[in-house]
Amino acid sequence: MSSVLVVAGAVFANGKLLIAQRAYPPELAGLWELPGGKVESGETHSDALVRELCEELNVDVSVGEPLSEVVRPREGLELVAIRARIVSGEPRPVEHRALRWVDADDLIALDDAGSVVPNDRAWIPELVADLRVE
Ligand code: 523
């Protein structure tokens, strides 16, 4: 059975984390996520993240360490989040409704309001811990 692997970027800069508001599908539209997408055949996780963040945000990133939590919402789908930093470019919401730079309190408030994509909620404790030391 073929399984889908999704990489998502935890992009940090100036003590904040970049999050993106989904425009589709309807059940996820309006919710915030770590931007990313499906790894294509022949790509490493790092290759896929660089490509996705270039396509979706129009930035070049350098890829760092993955978060420890791997999300497996159902059989055949796996999501990995990887830390990244912008090397060049100013992020723009090419495919998203909006982008936001958040601190730890902002992220917790968005989660409490039910505004985070369900799969991404598993990463929040580790993201908050990173933001507290950024
Ligand atoms: N997620 C998700 N969280 C998250 C991402 C980047 C993706 O839960 N941070 C889910 C949403 C979809 C699947 O992973 O069910 C694929 O994400 P998507 O649509 O962002 O990936 P793309 O851009 O590779 O897919 P296409 O829209 O099909 O091109």
Side-chain angles (χ1 to χ4, degrees):
M1 197 196 73
S2 74
S3 81
V4 173
L5 178 63
V6 172
V7 286
V11 177
F12 292 93
N14 303 315
K16 296 202 168 174
L17 170 73
L18 186 64
I19 58 171
Q21 188 177 35
R22 287 196 69 108
Y24 70 94
E27 62 271 22
L28 297 181
L31 302 182
W32 295 86
E33 69 172 5
L34 297 183
K38 299 181 197 100
V39 178
E40 293 176 357
S41 74
E43 280 184 328
T44 63
H45 295 193
S46 174
D47 293 337
L49 187 64
V50 169
R51 177 185 50 74
E52 285 286 348
L53 297 189
C54 182
E55 290 171 3
E56 296 189 353
L57 308 176
N58 198 36
V59 292
D60 285 321
V61 296
S62 63
V63 177
E65 290 299 310
L67 300 193
S68 56
E69 196 75 31
V70 175
V71 182
R72 294 185 184 86
R74 57 178 165 80
E75 184 73 16
L77 178 63
E78 192 166 284
L79 295 95
V80 175
I82 313 178
R83 297 177 179 86
R85 299 222 173 233
I86 294 171
V87 173
S88 69
E90 190 61 37
R92 288 193 295 113
V94 179
E95 295 178 7
H96 288 88
R97 208 175 264 180
L99 302 178
R100 238 186 108 175
W101 290 99
V102 293
D103 63 20
D105 291 342
D106 298 329
L107 188 56
I108 290 165
L110 279 172
D111 189 30
D112 287 347
S115 300
V116 173
V117 166
N119 291 331
D120 293 38
R121 299 189 65 210
W123 295 319
I124 290 180
E126 209 171 345
L127 294 170
V128 165
D130 276 14
L131 283 166
R132 301 257 191 239
V133 298
E134 265 283 305

